[in-house]
Structure formats: C-alpha cells, structure tokens
Amino acid sequence: MKPGYRRKNHAETGVSTLIEYVMITTIMIILFVVVLLEVNANFMQGPAETLQYNAFTDIGNGISTRIVDVYAIAPTTGNITSSFTLPDEVAGQDYFVDIYTGATAADQGVMVYHGNIISNISIAGISSTRNVTGNTTGSGIDQISYDSQGF
C-alpha cells in the first residue's frame, strides 16, 4: 500500500460500532426502567394491598366479636370495660377503626381502613338492641366499655 492510503470504509467502521452500542444500551435501559416500574406495581403493591385487606378483615372480626362478648356479659346495672390490643401496623402502614351506624339500627358495623383499602364488618347479634359508637387506631391499648346508664 502507498503511504497515506486508507481504505474507503475504515473510518466508518469504528463509528458504526459505537452507534450500535449506544443504540442497544439505550434500548436496554428503557426496557429496564419499564420492567422496574411494572415489577413494583404488580409484584409488590398488589400483594401488599391484598395483605392489608385480609388483615383489616381479621381485625374487624376480632373487634366485632369483642363487642358482642362485652354485650353478652354486660350487667343489668353497672359498667364493664374490656381492654385489648391491636397490631400497631399492617404491612408497614397505620390504620383506623371506626364503629359506624347505617341507615337503620341493624346496620351497625366495624370499618377498618387506610387510604383506599376498606374492610366493613357488621356487628352481628346486638345491632338492633344496643347502639355502639367509637373509633380507634392500631397503636396503644384499646378499650370497649359498657355502662347500663349510657354514655
């Protein structure tokens, strides 16, 4: 070969290889970001919400049972107080418990919720005879009180 002679496509070979690596790397990064976002939504958030709903249902059933138990042993005159504990957090989140009354006296229930996850459990057995009210959270010691003269 003569000095100073270059093959025609020798300079473009290095540039095309570099562009190929940049394009493939960019596509792979975009796919990685999309997969990362989908994994969070489908594999972590969905099961956590299912766990919260099931735990809220269990908590509501426990509170409903305790309310019925206090009513079952309530004295004709006097008062009674029952203390109990609830889990501080469910799936790393705080939650709230409300005792609600619906349109009729028979529509009383326990609502356990956090954000858009809500579990409603009816208070069976005493809804038509006693009015139940109150609210609490998961932290601390909770109490159910009954007084024959009312509150």
Side-chain angles (χ1 to χ4, degrees):
M1 286 198 201
K2 296 181 189 177
Y5 175 78
R6 300 171 88 191
R7 285 195 293 168
K8 195 172 189 180
N9 64 357
H10 181 68
E12 287 118 14
T13 305
V15 173
S16 66
T17 305
L18 176 66
I19 290 174
E20 178 185 355
Y21 286 139
V22 169
M23 288 174 58
I24 290 174
T25 303
T26 304
I27 291 170
M28 293 303 293
I29 288 173
I30 290 170
L31 289 175
F32 178 73
V33 169
V34 168
V35 168
L36 187 66
L37 293 173
E38 290 299 316
V39 163
N40 182 36
N42 293 327
F43 294 117
M44 292 171 37
Q45 188 175 1
E49 289 176 355
T50 303
L51 171 76
Q52 282 182 322
Y53 179 77
N54 291 333
F56 290 171
T57 302
D58 290 342
I59 291 167
N61 284 328
I63 292 173
S64 175
T65 302
R66 287 182 181 98
I67 291 171
V68 171
D69 289 347
V70 166
Y71 170 72
I73 62 171
T76 307
T77 57
N79 58 27
I80 187 170
T81 300
S82 173
S83 297
F84 61 96
T85 59
L86 295 173
D88 290 339
E89 295 178 341
V90 173
Q93 301 288 326
D94 293 333
Y95 60 94
F96 303 97
V97 178
D98 286 336
I99 309 298
Y100 66 89
T101 303
T104 65
D107 290 339
Q108 293 184 17
V110 179
M111 179 171 57
V112 185
Y113 63 94
H114 173 80
N116 61 351
I117 302 170
I118 300 170
S119 177
N120 290 312
I121 294 89
S122 66
I123 300 176
I126 65 167
S127 295
S128 60
T129 58
R130 298 281 187 236
N131 187 18
V132 180
T133 60
N135 58 26
T136 188
T137 62
S139 59
I141 296 177
D142 305 300
Q143 292 183 338
I144 296 174
S145 297
Y146 170 81
D147 192 347
S148 60
Q149 296 177 351
F151 288 100

